């Protein structure tokens, strides 16, 4: 196992804080979270939920880390394509290479996240699993976020890290339920969020067991395992991987809506939460791709996490400078 | 949640035993297990394996519980078909109903476990998940093993239960990696083996999120999620669900061979184990369906668990009567 030179300084251990969720502003959302955790952990209450059923599901892109201006995985693949094109210049004229290389945003905006995901996965097919993992690690070691000029591993939302730590303190099992490709996300989940590989439920690539020099080896295939982990796919994969409903789920887009609905409809206490990207100063303000989710949150009276109003600071590195702005 | 009237009395907690693996005869297999666990838990040794990487994978049918004269799931489905045929007599002439109802063993012996599995899954498609689970629970409450005349939940191999407890005591994560259908096995895994729902990796049915009386509801579909959890499928699903190689794996058939090979080929210490059903007195003696696995075990010098020689007793209920025989 390679040792990584990640430069992470995110504190998910809240046990040392006198006040829980200190990086959250006081308000209805913070109060709802504290009340919910109190309810499900109070043994004397009818709202008590046994430890084995305390499942929390978090989306990743836009929920735990920044997804703008592009998904990290998209940036990874563009970099990979550039490397490929250096070796095989003829690829520059072939789609989707051309679009990736020329950063043709119109090309991608016409595609669903699912379609982009499939392009990405096919691009890194036929690689031995170990080789792919090494490419992902190198990417995270070498590449900076285009706007913040920080390693991607520093792009976690600090209040969400604190929330994960707080839930874990109360014996929740925390799962990452991401549209991203499982093995890509696994390379940062443990280090950034303390989420083990087995708790990353993503869009999964088919692997094939091949024999190379008498050693069995996993090789990545072009096909994906159904269902793609967005929308109802998240519900199916939660059922397949975990086998029970989360009692708390957090998302930020239409692709998380089914997971939130699935969390809502049960006899146990439950807390669906939707992050609203409304902070144009400290992060990015956008509702594109979250329209149906925001509508449902209002209709169902879910707590909406306002990044502007509920988060005292957004990133750990920004904590030292409260006036930090992406646009400065 | 319904409370189940299971009648189980299997002790997986070995902490009270002075001697570990007391239900195992002294011999090379028991010594190999004890030595392996000692090696991977000794912090001062180069063979030490961190807790997060102590993954153990167990097959179910024929490895943790009895699979003869038929897979339990097959018995479940025959019972289900009989109930269906009472309501719809015309089904008696339609395959595969006819074969199931007439217990046409020739019909099934011509099929692979994968094909039988698909028939089974299709038979209980279109059922809401909750209804299916209730049928499974009722089956386990009402049905006895045809030979032993005991509840199926008593059909676990006691030395294997002790092994699971012993591994857990040494902070292994124990997974069930079964060709059986995930949700069927989940209904007994926690109660019989203490294995949580999230640690059951089986052959999975596609579910669909539907809305019924304004409530989202999972409904079982006719299709399966690829890959079927046998052979290389077990390796793929271990990769997708756990994301790392087991260091210990136990199986008993050709369908487990790839999982055992996958466990063998790694730089960490590892222990692939193959159960040999060689006890015609206390259980069933058979090698059919295990030919390739037995051959590989010999070739690779794996430890073979002889049920006849390595197990002091096979079932918990038989412990009180050492002369208990299935054929008496």
């Amino acid at each position: 196992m390679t040792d990584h030179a990640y430069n992470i300084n995110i504190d998910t251990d809240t046990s040392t804080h006198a006040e829980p969720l200190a990086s959250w502003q006081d308000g209805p959302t913070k109060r709802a979270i504290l009340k919910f955790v109190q309810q499900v952990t109070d043994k004397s209450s009818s709202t008590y939920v046994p430890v084995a059923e305390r499942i929390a599901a978090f989306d990743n892109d836009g929920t735990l880390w920044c997804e703008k201006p592009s998904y990290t995985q998209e940036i990874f693949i563009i970099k990979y394509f550039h490397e490929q094109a250096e070796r095989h210049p003829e690829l520059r004229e072939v789609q989707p290479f051309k679009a990736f290389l020329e950063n043709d945003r119109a090309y991608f905006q016409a595609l669903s996240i699912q379609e982009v995901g499939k392009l990405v996965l096919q691009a890194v097919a036929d690689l031995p699993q170990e080789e792919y993992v090494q490419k992902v690690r190198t990417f995270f070691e070498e590449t900076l976020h285009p706007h913040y000029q920080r390693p991607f591993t520093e792009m976690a939302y600090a209040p969400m890290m604190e929330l994960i730590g707080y839930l874990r303190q109360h014996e929740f099992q925390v799962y990452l339920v991401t549209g991203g490709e499982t093995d890509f996300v696994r390379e940062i989940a443990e280090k950034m969020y303390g989420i083990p590989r087995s708790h990353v439920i993503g869009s999964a690539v088919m692997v094939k067991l091949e024999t190379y020099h008498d050693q069995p080896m996993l090789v990545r295939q072009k096909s994906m395992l159904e269902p793609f982990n967005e929308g109802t796919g998240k519900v199916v994969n939660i059922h397949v991987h975990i086998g029970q409903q989360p009692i708390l789920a957090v998302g930020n887009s239409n692709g998380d809506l089914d997971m939130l609905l699935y969390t809502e409809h049960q006899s146990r206490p439950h807390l669906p939460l939707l992050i609203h990207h409304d902070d144009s100063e400290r992060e990015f303000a956008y509702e594109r791709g979250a329209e149906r989710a925001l509508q449902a949150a209002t209709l169902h009276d879910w707590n909406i996490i306002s990044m502007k109003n509920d988060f005292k600071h957004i990133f750990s590195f920004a904590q030292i400078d409260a006036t930090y702005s992406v646009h400065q």
Side-chain angles (χ1 to χ4, degrees), chain A:
Chain A
M1 305 278 281
T2 320
D3 197 23
H4 313 301
Y6 288 160
N7 181 19
I8 315 164
N9 189 20
I10 292 165
D11 180 20
T12 59
D13 175 14
T14 60
S15 58
T16 52
H17 298 303
E19 183 202 342
L21 303 185
S23 61
W24 292 64
Q25 299 284 6
D26 188 36
T29 305
K30 177 173 177 171
R31 267 175 264 146
I33 296 170
L34 294 175
K35 187 180 164 201
F36 174 74
V37 172
Q38 196 273 323
Q39 281 179 331
V40 302
T41 55
D42 177 0
K43 273 199 172 161
S44 68
S45 163
S46 64
T47 58
Y48 178 75
V49 175
V51 168
E53 296 170 27
R54 286 184 210 156
I55 307 288
F58 287 80
D59 169 55
N60 189 33
D61 294 305
T63 296
L64 291 187
W65 73 351
C66 181
E67 64 180 353
K68 295 290 174 192
S70 323
Y71 296 120
T72 312
Q73 205 167 346
E74 205 179 315
I75 297 170
F76 163 72
I77 209 69
I78 289 171
K79 204 177 171 191
Y80 176 73
F81 282 178
H82 275 286
E83 286 167 17
Q84 293 291 92
E86 270 177 38
R87 271 182 274 169
H88 310 284
E90 69 277 13
L91 288 175
R92 294 186 187 282
E93 296 311 316
V94 182
Q95 288 294 21
F97 273 80
K98 190 172 153 66
F100 275 110
L101 294 173
E102 294 171 2
N103 197 12
D104 179 356
R105 303 209 59 79
Y107 179 87
F108 294 109
Q109 273 168 15
L111 301 176
S112 69
I113 180 179
Q114 191 154 343
E115 288 164 323
V116 174
K118 284 186 181 171
L119 289 179
V120 167
L121 298 177
Q122 285 176 6
V124 288
D126 305 325
L127 281 184
Q129 177 64 18
E130 271 312 306
E131 202 175 308
Y132 173 74
V133 163
Q134 198 45 59
K135 281 186 197 301
V136 176
R137 287 179 184 164
T138 305
F139 168 79
F140 280 112
E141 282 160 11
E142 293 181 349
T143 321
L144 297 179
H145 188 280
H147 270 70
Y148 293 93
Q149 293 298 315
R150 296 268 183 173
F152 287 98
T153 44
E154 291 186 18
M155 299 311 301
Y157 302 139
M160 296 305 287
M161 297 302 96
E162 200 187 23
L163 174 56
I164 287 179
Y166 181 65
L167 292 173
R168 226 178 253 137
Q169 228 186 323
H170 291 86
E171 299 179 86
F172 277 71
Q173 292 270 331
V174 176
Y175 285 86
L176 203 55
V177 183
T178 171
E181 191 264 313
T182 309
D183 293 317
F184 183 82
V185 179
R186 274 178 175 156
E187 288 308 310
I188 52 97
E190 174 91 53
K191 284 169 187 286
M192 288 183 72
Y193 316 136
I195 294 179
R197 304 174 72 76
S198 59
H199 283 45
V200 176
I201 303 173
S203 298
V205 166
M206 178 60 100
V207 290
K208 199 177 155 193
L209 191 66
E210 294 189 357
T211 306
Y212 182 74
H213 284 205
D214 267 350
Q215 301 275 319
M217 186 176 73
L218 294 183
V219 177
R220 296 167 68 82
Q221 307 293 297
K222 277 200 164 58
S223 60
M224 292 204 34
L225 293 179
E226 292 296 329
F228 191 85
N229 207 38
E230 279 290 306
T232 57
K234 290 200 172 187
V235 175
V236 174
N237 283 324
I238 285 172
H239 173 70
V240 171
H241 284 252
I242 311 176
Q244 49 189 336
Q245 282 171 279
I247 60 168
L248 182 150
V250 197
N252 76 304
S253 77
N254 298 336
D256 301 314
L257 180 51
D258 292 298
M259 173 171 82
L260 297 171
L261 287 167
Y262 184 54
T263 302
E264 180 179 38
H265 288 282
Q266 60 182 311
S267 53
R268 298 184 199 89
H270 46 264
L271 188 65
L273 294 166
L274 187 74
I275 291 187
H276 187 200
H277 288 270
D278 57 358
D279 192 328
S280 62
E281 279 302 308
R282 299 183 300 176
E283 207 228 11
F284 298 88
Y286 57 98
E287 294 186 353
R288 193 189 146 90
E291 304 86 347
R292 287 189 298 116
L294 285 161
Q295 208 170 20
T298 308
L299 193 69
H300 292 245
D301 207 19
W302 295 337
N303 286 93
I304 294 179
I305 301 171
S306 160
M307 291 184 73
K308 187 174 177 171
N309 301 320
D310 287 322
F311 289 177
K312 284 191 190 163
H313 56 274
I314 296 201
F315 303 106
S316 281
F317 60 79
Q319 191 170 7
I320 43 173
D321 178 4
T323 63
Y324 188 96
S325 164
V326 57
H327 309 289
Q328 74 196 0

